Each structure stands twice: as structure tokens, then as C-alpha cells.
Amino acid sequence: MPGHRRDRGRIASISPDSSTHIVLRSDWRLRATSRTNRTQLPDGQRHRRYIRRVSPPHIQVQQGEPFFEEIQAYNKHFLSLLELEQTEDEAVLRERLSTWSLFRLQEEGYTITGLSAFWMGAPKFGRPVASFSLGPGIDLPEHRFENGTQVLVSRFDPLQEPPLRGSIISKTASQLRIAFEEKFEVEDGCWRLDVGRSNIVFIRMREAISRFSQDPEALEDPTHLISPPNNQFVLHGTHLRDVLLRSFSPDRPSLHAPLQRPDEVRYVPRGRLEHDSREVREHGGAFKEDMHIQSWARRYSRINPIVIDGDPVLEGLNATQIRAIAMMIGERISLVQGPPGTGKTKTIIEAVKLLKVHFEVHHPVLVCTYTNVAVDNLVEGFAAADVKPLRVGFGAKIKSSLHEYTLDAKLEAHPLRVKVEQLLKDQENVERKLGALEDKIVAAEKSSSEKLGRMRTAFTVLERQLLALRAKLYALHQEMLNDITAAADVICTTCITSASAALNILDFPVVFLDEASMSTEPASLIPLMRGSRHVALIGDHKQLPPVIASREAQLNGLGISLFERLTEEGVVPSIMLDVQYRMHPSISRFPSLEFYDFALQDGTVDAAGNIHPMLLPPLSSHLEQDVLTGHRPSVVFIDHGGAETSKDRSTVNWNEAHIVCSIVEDLLLQNENLLGANIGVIAPYAAQISLLNRLLNTDAKYRKRFASTLGDHRMMQLSSIEVKTVDGFEGREKDVIIFSTVRNNASGYIGFLADRRRLNVGLTRAKRGLFVVGSISTLKAGKMAKERTGESPARVGKGAEAWRRYAKYVVDEKMVVTLCGDRLRGMLYGDRAPRARSN
């Protein structure tokens, strides 16, 4: 209800005639703007007054001021680590460009030369876009330029000339479309493209660290309003400095050690993962004054919640998830420990729904994750739960089916778009006149023309017109952003993109951070430094950690996430989700034993011991039916003898790739309702991912084979199969997962594969069927480093030991199918006769 506020569940009027213009930031008594009837006024009736928001001046805390010592220690620790990481990151690119031949760069797909280009025009509110191609109808060679890739653009060599930088926004077989910050002469001559690196991540992480010096409470003070009075500071910093900087205080020295060693076998004692707040001070957070929310949170945080009339109905949640939600909205900062399949995403969605749909809080809510894929998962979940999400991010990295929820789509559909387009045309016209007049002035200066004075006057007038047009465009854009963000229940983006200037329209007192164990601490700070006062971090330290390139930075703690550090400190309240709903019990059994000491319960079996029908295994020639019970297994290890080979600092296994394609073919043939989108293929090595993508999507021989066996219609499902690294699949799930382990050698060396956390992620993505493809003998040997003549035996770490135990487990459980003879030849070459029997 516009013009009203919510006061303890009641509606009280606010006088619209108040002469003093006071803006309340996230007042708990106000109703969520996304839950009011916001009627779009015609242009002539628009008299809204928007506060102009400006960034506060950069400051540094001085000696004697609060948190000075803590901030100094924090900066000393993290800024040096970021410097090490950035140096290593840039060294990889420089080494490749300086030591590899042009032929190798092209062969490996890092470089394309001989390209011509033209401008396609600027997208609305976006950057200019150029299309690069080898010529009409000429396909590009195989390459590594994916959507979102940062690109170096040069004529001959990016090390010998200053390269232009852009990012891929879309691609076809023959074109790459690249967005730039500004236009340049692109039409003439040929261009070279190189896969590059972006510094924006490091810039934003350093900026986030610097914001510890800002006090958002001081910035919110009305006396800090800048003249004229309609200006307001964008909030920088966080209200949680006392928590985040606690262990950097000279009074509480800390080594900042990880919660556990990465290869630690034992699970953390439950008491370290589940406890109430150990803060001394009040810890009620953004909703501490809302007695309605506080009452609900206190009652539902109990093991046996006290339910009263008027409480929202919470469907599809178990007791632990409800207690987690109570902690997330009742505590100013909280941790939710979520092993695989325990409903972390569901818990976040229901927490936001409770706040926005039931309690209708006015506070903007920001939900971030480390990866775009995980953000898209959340957006899908919010939309399905009737929560209104706004997806902010680089369009090329957002799933196309979610376009309607994106900021770009909302801007395109806004009623003011027509006016903006006209102003853009007017601006282009004035800029063109200015350019032409500037040329005339230069010519007149050479000839001492009498018209020079008049021309300079006209030039000044045009400059003023241009400034006025830009001001109008800015004001309209801000008005559109205001309308769009006000209509959203929740803003969804990645940690890095949360620093987007488009989001300066809002402050974010409430932040929920998913995948928190995957993000470095400086990256996690980026969304928190937008005025946060209420934060929940959700993750699992037993899954993938941040990826760190610098060994020195890793050894000194950059690989310890903020989530893990706060868990280790043991002060912030924490709760563990302990019931998994994703996996068939036979898929979850080994991970629950190996990684969680059986602390993970199965929610997929009813009281009578029946498994949910949606989790029954798919039909497959490799999931052979038990003749006594009639049951088919959900897990199979497909053992083969195909050797691995090295490629571009990576590892590839051709035979294994052919076997994976055969499994996919078999699944699509035998399960008519199984879609490509229900299948995921994962591998630990980028070279194997590249090979599998090619065989499934572009290889001519396989296209012919698939057309013959599947038919043209069923073959269309192949393009929907996701093929990603293990790291790229964290937080994801599919009905069926095919895990290509790649390693197959006589010495039993498994290298990069010997990581307990990657094994955990790889084995816990599947809901109905898990196909692990590899060499059982290699995994049984499980060595981390190659043996060398005259040296001590190869080291066997705990990650390799986990693979050894898994190999023993699948053998003991009779889950291994060994390929040889006709069956192997059929899978490699497409002879379907050995797989003709029906299950």
C-alpha cells in the first residue's frame, strides 16, 4: 500500500505533506516495495523526487580510532596475498604468450588471427559490440573463446603493442561478438584475438578490503547528507566489523589456520558445526526491533518449535532447515553448514520468501554465490516459489531461459525506454555535429577565418546541449533502476558482480552468501561491503575450496574462505543441515561414510523403507538387473584399460571419452523421457572436457553415428547435456552423472584427482544414476606423485587413500563392470549388438 507503513503488523498512515524530506533506510516499519501496488504513472504525471546517491570520500582509519589495529593487520595479511595471486595469474598469461609459438597458440585454441570486424551498435545501457569473423560463411577453428571470456585484441602481437580488451558476449560457428568499453577504428585491416585475463576481480577485492575503514552507521546519519539535501551517500563498509575483524585484534592473536587439513579423513565434531552465538554483545541484526520476526525466530529456533496462530505454513522443510532459517533471520550473522543434497538452496529460498512474502520486510535482500551457474539455480528456485528475483550480471553468462528476470530485460521492457532511445538519438546527433564542427574549427584556425569566433560559440552551445542530454539520460536511467529494484523481492548476482555500479541505487543491509566455502575471503567481502548489517553464509568445507594459483598465497591462507575462518573461530552461531534429499541411498552411502562419518541422513526413503519413485535408476545396459531381487543398481564403475595421454598441461583419455559417449547414447536410446538437460558429464581435467564437448556436439563421425542410432529428433538432446569440470559442477545436480576419472597408467599415479573434496563433489551430483568411468587398478594404487628411478616410493596422500577406499568399496559391493572384447569394441566403435538386451 503506497503511502503507508507497517507497524507491528498494523498499517499506519504517513503524511505525504511533510515539508521535511527524510529518507528512512530499511526502516523495519515500512512495507516491502515489491509487495505494494506500484502503479506506473504516465510521463506527464511523474513528479517523483529521487535522492541522488553519491559514493562517500575514500578514508583511512587513523591511529586511536576504532578498529585501527585490526584493519592494519587485516590489510597486511590479505593485500600481500592478493599481490602474490595476481602476479601468478598474470605470469601464466605472459608465459603462454611469450614462450609458445603462434602455431601452438592457434592449435590449442588460445589465439585466432586474420579476423575482420565491424561494429554492431551499442546495446541499450551496454557497451559497443563488434563482430569478428574470418569471412562470410567461414567457420572459426576450434577455440577456447567462451561467453564471458576476457579477450586481448591486437594487430600482430599483444606483447609488442598495447592490446585492446573486451569480453565475449555471444558466439556462433563463424563469429565472435565482443563488447568493449568504447569504440575504436575496427573496420580496416586484420585482427588477432588472444584469450586474456581480467584484473577487475583483484580491483574489486582490494576495494572491498579498503571499505573496512568506512563506518556505514556514520554514513547513514542524516547530518552527513551532502548539499543539496537530495543527495545521499551510498553505504560503504559493514556494521559487522567487530565480528569480521575479531581475530585480527592484537588482544586475540590468531594463526588463521584452516578448520581441517584438506585431506583430513575425520569429520569435524558436531559441536564445532552446531552451536548458538558466543558473542557477548546484542546480536539481533537488521530485524532486532521487529518483535513479530524476533518472536518467530526465537520460537522456531527450538528443537520443538512453539507454533501459534498466524505463523506461516512451512512446507517441504525438515526440522533442521526450519531451525536454520530461524537462525538466518534472527541472528545478525550466522553460518549454515550444508553437506551435498541437504537443501542449502531450498533453505535460502524459503528464508527470503519468509522475509519478503510473509513478513514483507522493507530491507533490500542481496543473495550472492561465487559462480553464475549457482546464481541461475537460485533465480529458478525463487521464481518457482513466487518470490520475485532480479538477476544482475553479464548477459552472456546468464542462462537464456532466465532472461525475463535479468536487469537488461527489465530495462528493455520499462515504459521509459522509448524516451531513452530518443535521447540517445539526440545525443548521437549532437556528438556528430560536434565532431563536424571541430573539424571546421581546426581548418578555420589554419586559415584565420573570420567565422572562427561564431564557430567556437556554437561549439560551446553544443557541448552544453550534450551535457544536458547526458544528465537527462542519467536521471532516467536512475528512475528506471529505482522502479525495477523496488519491484524485486531479492537481487541475485555473483560476489564479484555485486560491485556493479547499477546496484548503487540501493544499500544492502541483508546479504545471504551461498557457496561461501568456494569463495576467497576478499571476494566474499565484496557484497558485504555494501552496508551489510545482517549476513548468513552457507557452505560446506568438505566440498571445493577457493581455487588459488599462487602456491605461496595458498600456504599463507588465501585458500581459507571467510566461511571456514568463522567456523574455525567458533563464535558466530552455526547449524548443520543433516538430511540429504538429492541422491538415491546407494549413491549417498559412500560419501556419507567417507566424508561425514554418517552424520548425513537419507531423506529419500520413507518409513517403510521405500525409495522415492523419482530416484529409481534409469534403464541402462550397464546397470544390470539383479535376477533375485529384480532391482537395478544406481551406481556402476565402468573399468577399462585405455591409457591416458598428456595435453597442454592437462590430461586426456581418448578411449574413456568414447566410452562416455557410448553411455550417453545408450541412456538416450533406452529412456525416452530422459532429456539431455537431465544428464551431466564431469571430469577433473579441462582437456578431457574439451574432447568430450567436441565428440558430443561437433565431431563429424559422431554426428553421423548419433544420427544413425538415435535419429535426428532424439539426437537434438545432445546439445543440452552439460559437460563441465568437477569444480564447475559444485552446487549442481542432475538425474544422471557420468564421471570420467581420466587417469589410467601402470604406475597408479592419479595427481590432481587425489583431492578428497573433488571426489566428494564428483560422487554427489547424481540423483538417480552415477556412472564412474576409469581404471580400477590405477585408483586402487592411488599415488599422488610419480615414482622416479633411485628415489623413495611415490607418496600416497589421504586424497589418494580416499580413492583407494572407493575402489575397494565398488569392488566389494560388486558395482564394477569391466569392459573387454566385443563389449569394449561396441562402445568404442558404435556396434550396438552387445547392448541389445533389455533391462
Side-chain angles (χ1 to χ4, degrees), residues 41 44 92 198 217 220 246 347 367 400 472 488 541 567 579 587 616 643 664 669 682 712 728 740 758 783 787 831:
L41 296 174
V92 172
S198 173
E217 192 166 342
E220 279 191 279
R246 176 187 289 107
T347 302
V367 175
S400 58
K472 287 180 181 178
H541 77 281
T567 302
V579 183
I587 297 175
L616 293 178
V664 168
L669 198 61
I682 60 178
D712 291 341
S740 171
R758 283 190 175 82
K783 300 167 188 173
E787 297 180 33
D831 175 12

Side-chain angles (χ1 to χ4, degrees), residues 626-696:
D626 188 301
V627 293
L628 296 177
T629 65
H631 295 158
R632 283 174 294 106
S634 286
V635 180
V636 63
F637 188 103
I638 297 179
D639 179 36
H640 68 97
E644 66 186 61
T645 57
S646 296
K647 182 181 180 184
D648 184 26
R649 294 187 177 184
S650 189
T651 306
V652 69
N653 191 314
W654 279 84
N655 269 18
E656 192 160 296
H658 293 310
I659 292 168
V660 168
C661 290
S662 183
I663 295 170
V664 168
E665 180 183 55
D666 181 70
L667 284 166
L668 290 176
L669 198 61
Q670 296 207 42
N671 301 270
E672 63 180 1
N673 293 321
L674 185 68
L675 303 177
N678 303 139
I679 301 172
V681 179
I682 60 178
Y685 294 96
Q688 187 77 350
I689 294 299
S690 178
L691 173 60
L692 286 165
N693 266 314
R694 180 156 62 85
L695 295 182
L696 287 170

Side-chain angles (χ1 to χ4, degrees), residues 19 44 456 499 535 734:
S19 58
R456 284 175 173 163
V535 171
K734 293 287 182 180

Side-chain angles (χ1 to χ4, degrees), residues 23-135:
V23 174
L24 299 173
R25 301 200 195 185
S26 306
D27 191 314
W28 67 273
R29 294 162 293 188
L30 297 176
R31 188 182 182 201
T33 54
S34 57
R35 294 289 150 180
T36 60
N37 295 320
R38 296 174 58 81
T39 305
Q40 187 73 51
L41 296 174
D43 290 346
Q45 297 178 32
R46 285 177 173 268
H47 297 293
R48 301 184 198 167
R49 295 175 63 192
Y50 289 106
I51 291 175
R52 184 177 180 85
R53 289 168 56 80
V54 297
S55 294
H58 181 79
I59 64 169
Q60 287 188 330
V61 171
Q62 302 300 310
Q63 192 162 5
E65 294 180 341
F67 302 107
F68 173 77
E69 290 85 0
E70 291 89 337
I71 292 171
Q72 292 292 104
Y74 196 96
N75 289 350
K76 182 180 179 181
H77 179 68
F78 277 107
L79 292 179
S80 61
L81 297 182
L82 289 180
E83 188 65 32
L84 289 169
E85 181 68 4
Q86 185 171 7
T87 300
E88 181 66 23
D89 200 48
E90 293 171 348
V92 172
L93 174 62
R94 282 198 306 273
E95 180 188 7
R96 187 169 70 227
L97 290 173
S98 61
T99 62
W100 289 19
S101 67
L102 179 59
F103 174 79
R104 185 182 177 190
L105 288 167
Q106 292 172 315
E107 190 71 13
E108 298 289 351
Y110 287 104
T111 300
I112 305 176
T113 59
L115 295 160
S116 58
F118 63 91
W119 290 112
M120 300 186 69
K124 301 298 179 291
F125 311 109
R127 298 176 293 169
V129 175
S131 175
F132 289 78
S133 69
L134 292 171

Side-chain angles (χ1 to χ4, degrees), residues 544-560:
L544 294 179
V547 176
I548 307 299
S550 165
R551 178 168 174 77
E552 188 177 350
Q554 175 72 43
L555 290 173
N556 285 283
L558 189 58
I560 301 173

Side-chain angles (χ1 to χ4, degrees), residues 450-684:
E450 296 178 0
K451 299 179 180 179
L452 188 58
R454 291 196 300 273
M455 292 166 70
R456 284 175 173 163
T457 300
F459 191 87
T460 301
V461 171
L462 285 172
E463 281 187 318
R464 288 174 180 168
Q465 288 180 11
L466 186 59
L467 287 173
L469 285 169
R470 287 173 177 169
K472 287 180 181 178
L473 278 168
Y474 175 81
L476 283 176
H477 195 197
Q478 295 305 294
E479 185 170 351
M480 294 165 77
L481 288 172
N482 257 302
D483 290 340
I484 292 164
T485 55
D489 288 320
V490 59
I491 312 296
C492 303
T493 187
T494 62
C495 293
I496 304 303
T497 309
S498 66
S500 168
L503 293 180
N504 286 340
I505 202 76
L506 292 172
D507 303 310
F508 291 100
V510 182
V511 181
F512 293 159
L513 181 57
D514 194 11
E515 287 187 332
S517 51
M518 283 188 74
S519 177
T520 64
E521 180 159 335
S524 295
L525 289 182
I526 296 173
L528 303 191
M529 290 298 171
R530 303 197 66 121
S532 67
R533 62 169 67 242
H534 196 113
V535 171
L537 294 94
I538 302 93
D540 177 16
H541 77 281
K542 282 291 187 180
Q543 295 187 64
L544 294 179
V547 176
I548 307 299
S550 165
R551 178 168 174 77
E552 188 177 350
Q554 175 72 43
L555 290 173
N556 285 283
L558 189 58
I560 301 173
S561 65
L562 175 62
F563 176 83
E564 185 174 358
R565 175 168 76 83
L566 294 177
T567 302
E568 193 276 332
E569 289 175 6
V571 176
V572 173
S574 179
I575 189 169
M576 176 183 168
L577 305 178
D578 56 6
V579 183
Q580 77 83 16
Y581 296 96
R582 172 185 298 158
M583 297 164 271
H584 188 287
S586 64
I587 297 175
S588 68
R589 187 174 299 119
F590 179 82
S592 180
L593 165 65
E594 177 68 24
F595 306 111
Y596 300 100
D597 291 344
F598 280 127
L600 193 57
Q601 305 170 45
D602 280 314
T604 54
V605 182
D606 63 22
N610 299 312
I611 297 167
H612 195 287
M614 296 294 289
L615 294 181
L616 293 178
L619 293 172
S620 168
S621 300
H622 312 291
L623 300 176
E624 297 180 350
Q625 193 172 40
D626 188 301
V627 293
L628 296 177
T629 65
H631 295 158
R632 283 174 294 106
S634 286
V635 180
V636 63
F637 188 103
I638 297 179
D639 179 36
H640 68 97
E644 66 186 61
T645 57
S646 296
K647 182 181 180 184
D648 184 26
R649 294 187 177 184
S650 189
T651 306
V652 69
N653 191 314
W654 279 84
N655 269 18
E656 192 160 296
H658 293 310
I659 292 168
V660 168
C661 290
S662 183
I663 295 170
V664 168
E665 180 183 55
D666 181 70
L667 284 166
L668 290 176
L669 198 61
Q670 296 207 42
N671 301 270
E672 63 180 1
N673 293 321
L674 185 68
L675 303 177
N678 303 139
I679 301 172
V681 179
I682 60 178

